[in-house]
Structures are given as structure tokens and as C-alpha cells.
Amino acid sequence: MSAGFRAVQWNRAKLVYDGILLAGVVLYIGAYLTLVYWLDPPKDQLAAIDLRIRAFGTCAFFMLTVILSIGPLTRLDRRFLPLLYNRRHFGVLTFFVVLLHASFMVEWYALQNALPSLYDELTKVSDYGKFIGFPFKALGLVALLILFLMAATSHDYWLVFLTPPVWKGLHMALYVAYGLVVMHVALGVMQYDHNPFIPAMLAGGFACVTVLQLGAARAGSRSDRRSRFRTRAPASSRRRMANASLSSATARRSGRFRIFAPTSMGRSAKGASSTAA
């Protein structure tokens, strides 16, 4: 059997969902750039590119946090299910935001004719044994590769072609990408920029995902216990019915013996009386 390709079947719900996603991304990036330009305008073109790098990078982090929160939210409250149905669109848009973040970084190096230094930074093997000074850009590139694979296989064709277990295993790598992004920020910009917004963003996002996952796991365990109890209840009922049937049968047998016993005893008494006579 072969998997057939079918174009995305757009409907009103998907169009509304994607429109809200695009509007949210545009509003966040626009608000971020406007606020920073107003508070601390960039002094040159390099600073302006660096500002775009941060705007798209923080936006991508928040988007990944929301994507990982959708699953546990739907297990806690079914009203969040509409977010789950089109979550793949969310992931594809997140990939493009991360791609723009990486492209601005390459532009920042290219504007200074420093692309060879970027290559040296990524290929210097000795730095990979450090904690402070680790080539954090490599972590971001690996996360970008994972997001690319997930975006490229987001269509139902790949779900059928790869089989559901393989497809799900591939898309579970989103947790790996999220961890890489957290380390990318912690070992990168947070080392030289002491703005409290950055650690608060990382801690808040990580805590949100962790709390929701633990809450959903706890709710799932309670649901499993209730379902196991419901499946055990009929069996116990059947056992009670069987015991009741057995008791009634025993009672009938014992009652039959009690009925016949006086008759035989009466006959014996009559025989005894006639003999005596």
C-alpha cells in the first residue's frame, strides 16, 4: 500500500486559527520593536539587526512554550481542543519565526564580513567541552533542524507514510528542541545581558510547561483509577450474583431434605406403632 498526497483542506476554522496566529506574531514583534526603539533606540545598523534577532528569538520561545502547553491543557479542559486540532500550523509558523531569527544572526555577521569567525566558532571542538564559552549557536542550529523536520512532516501524508509510531516519535523531539532553546539562551545572551526579562522569560516558560505537564499527568492517573474501578464493578457484581445463586441452590437442597425428613420419620413412627400394637 502507498500513501497518497492530498493538499491541505482549508476551512473556516483553519483560516481563523491561522489568522489569529499571524496577528499574534505581528503584534508581539511590532510591540517589542516599538517599545525598545522608544526606550533605547539602536545606535547603528548592527544594533538594529541585533534588536530584530532578540524580537524574533523571544517570540519563538513563547510560541514553543504555548505549543508544549496545548497538550496538557486539553487533557485538563476539553474546551482547549480547538487549539490542538490545528497545532501543526502553529509549529510550522514557529519554524519560520526561528528561521528569520537565524537569518538575522547570519546577516549580523555578514555585515561585518565576519562569517569565517562564525564558522570557526561552530567548528572549534575544544569549546564544546566548556560550560561558559560553549558554542551556544550550535544548540540553536540543532533546534532549528528539529523544527524543520517537524514542519516538513506536518502533513497527514507523512503521518501515513512514516506510520503513526514513527511520526509521533519524531514530533516528540519538540521537547528536545525546547530544551536546546533554553540552553541556547542561558549560555548565550544571558551571559552578557543582565536584563531581568531574559531569566524571567526562561524560568516562567519552563515552569509553565512543567506545572501543566504534572497537572495533566495527575489528572490522567485519577481518570485511569476511575476507569479501572468502573471495569472492576461489573465483575464484582457478577461474583455477588453467582454467590447469591449458589446460596439459593444450597438453600433449596437443604430445604428439600428438611421436607422429606419428617415424612420418613412419620412413616418410621407409624411402622413402629403398628409393630408395637
Side-chain angles (χ1 to χ4, degrees):
M1 295 179 67
S2 61
F5 181 84
R6 179 186 298 177
V8 177
Q9 302 298 306
W10 294 99
N11 53 40
R12 184 177 180 276
K14 290 181 180 180
L15 292 174
V16 171
Y17 189 94
D18 292 350
I20 294 174
L21 284 180
L22 287 171
V25 170
V26 171
L27 284 174
Y28 175 84
I29 294 176
Y32 188 101
L33 294 175
T34 301
L35 182 62
V36 176
Y37 266 91
W38 177 57
L39 294 175
D40 186 18
K43 300 176 178 59
D44 52 23
Q45 188 176 0
L46 287 176
I49 295 174
D50 183 67
L51 180 58
R52 291 196 291 271
I53 291 173
R54 297 182 185 221
F56 280 84
T58 55
C59 181
F61 178 81
F62 285 127
M63 294 176 75
L64 285 173
T65 301
V66 173
I67 290 173
L68 289 178
S69 300
I70 290 175
L73 280 174
T74 56
R75 294 194 292 272
L76 293 170
D77 192 335
R78 295 180 64 84
R79 287 175 294 184
F80 290 99
L81 281 174
L83 299 178
L84 182 67
Y85 293 149
N86 298 305
R87 186 170 56 176
R88 299 181 203 177
H89 295 209
F90 208 146
V92 172
L93 182 59
T94 303
F95 162 72
F96 284 111
V97 172
V98 176
L99 183 62
L100 286 171
H101 167 76
S103 67
F104 288 133
M105 181 196 69
V106 174
E107 182 184 2
W108 188 86
Y109 277 92
L111 192 63
Q112 304 174 81
N113 295 320
L115 286 176
S117 64
L118 175 61
Y119 174 79
D120 294 338
E121 180 181 349
L122 294 174
T123 56
K124 191 174 182 180
V125 179
S126 59
D127 286 348
Y128 284 90
K130 302 177 182 178
F131 183 75
I132 303 300
F134 188 92
F136 65 93
K137 296 182 181 66
L139 300 174
L141 290 176
V142 174
L144 177 62
L145 177 61
I146 293 174
L147 292 174
F148 166 73
L149 292 175
M150 295 177 63
T153 58
S154 63
H155 194 274
D156 284 339
Y157 167 82
W158 293 103
L159 176 62
V160 177
F161 180 77
L162 296 174
T163 69
V166 175
W167 187 89
K168 184 177 181 181
L170 174 62
H171 283 250
M172 287 295 288
L174 181 62
Y175 289 94
V176 178
Y178 189 73
L180 291 172
V181 169
V182 170
M183 295 301 297
H184 171 73
V185 177
L187 296 177
V189 65
M190 202 167 72
Q191 295 299 319
Y192 57 85
D193 188 346
H194 302 290
N195 188 335
F197 171 75
I198 299 172
M201 177 188 71
L202 289 182
F206 185 80
C208 178
V209 172
T210 303
V211 169
L212 287 174
Q213 292 287 349
L214 292 176
R218 184 177 180 182
S221 63
R222 287 200 301 265
S223 177
D224 290 341
R225 285 197 296 269
R226 286 195 296 268
S227 63
R228 286 196 296 269
F229 177 78
R230 285 195 295 267
T231 56
R232 284 199 301 266
S236 61
S237 300
R238 287 194 296 270
R239 284 195 297 271
R240 287 196 297 270
M241 293 175 63
N243 292 334
S245 300
L246 181 60
S247 300
S248 61
T250 304
R252 286 195 299 270
R253 286 195 297 270
S254 61
R256 188 181 304 120
F257 292 143
R258 285 195 298 268
I259 292 171
F260 291 154
T263 306
S264 60
M265 288 175 64
R267 289 175 180 172
S268 299
K270 290 180 181 178
S273 58
S274 60
T275 306

